[in-house]
């Protein structure tokens, strides 16, 4: 048992090191793609080219988030996942997610709408990055698996108490 435990710990450490190294190796070219995409978007280009660049930028951002998710899963396995606690606007998070995925929805002729009026002006204390990841996955899957029609992200206050609001 002792030998098996040591071997499992060694494999877990090797996997963490591999993921960390690959994350860096993948991030470097993705950051270059993002940077050059931004520079190119500032030049004199057509609307169609701007749309293509926007799709490239969104795809690069999504790949970077996937790399982060893989590293996060590794940290979770190792028991080292930490949640941030900062004040943020859930409405802004929802709108940003919709903006990122609207290009993909438009490419499929799907209308992606974001109804956040009811929560505008509300602030939360928590991990906005995790909320962004969750919404991105949910809305991304909704867009991915919707063949025709529309996808609507609607944020409403469900419950309100002195110290918290359920959205």
């Amino acid at each position: 048992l002792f030998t098996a435990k040591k071997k499992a710990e060694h494999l877990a450490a090797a996997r963490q090191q591999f993921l960390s190294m690959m994350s860096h190796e993948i991030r470097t070219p993705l950051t270059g793609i993002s940077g050059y995409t931004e520079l190119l978007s500032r030049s004199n280009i057509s609307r169609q080219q701007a749309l293509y660049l926007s799709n490239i930028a969104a795809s690069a951002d999504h790949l970077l988030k996937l790399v982060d998710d893989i590293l996060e899963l590794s940290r979770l396995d190792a028991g080292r996942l930490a949640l941030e606690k900062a004040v943020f606007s859930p409405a802004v998070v929802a709108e940003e997610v919709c903006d990122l995925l609207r290009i993909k929805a438009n490419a499929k002729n799907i209308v992606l709408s974001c109804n956040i009026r009811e929560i505008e002006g509300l602030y939360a204390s928590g991990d906005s990055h995790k909320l962004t990841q969750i919404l991105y996955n949910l809305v991304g899957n909704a867009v991915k698996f919707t063949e025709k029609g529309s996808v609507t992200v609607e944020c409403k206050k469900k419950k309100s108490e002195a110290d918290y609001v359920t959205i």
Side-chain angles (χ1 to χ4, degrees), residues 64-84:
L64 282 170
K65 286 178 183 163
L66 287 174
V67 169
D68 288 341
D69 288 348
I70 291 167
L71 283 174
E72 193 167 306
L73 182 62
S74 177
R75 285 187 209 113
L76 181 64
D77 284 345
R80 293 184 281 155
L81 180 65
L83 295 174
E84 292 180 19

Side-chain angles (χ1 to χ4, degrees), residues 78-133:
R80 293 184 281 155
L81 180 65
L83 295 174
E84 292 180 19
K85 189 165 186 178
V87 176
F88 69 96
S89 167
V92 169
V93 169
E95 187 65 41
E96 287 175 351
V97 167
C98 288
D99 287 345
L100 281 173
L101 291 167
R102 197 165 279 119
I103 295 164
K104 187 180 280 189
N106 290 344
K108 290 182 68 177
N109 291 321
I110 295 169
V111 175
L112 175 58
S113 57
C114 190
N115 181 358
I116 57 171
R117 286 185 297 272
E118 196 171 315
I119 65 164
E120 286 178 338
L122 285 178
Y123 289 89
S125 177
D127 195 326
S128 64
H129 180 67
K130 298 288 184 293
L131 179 60
T132 300
Q133 288 177 315

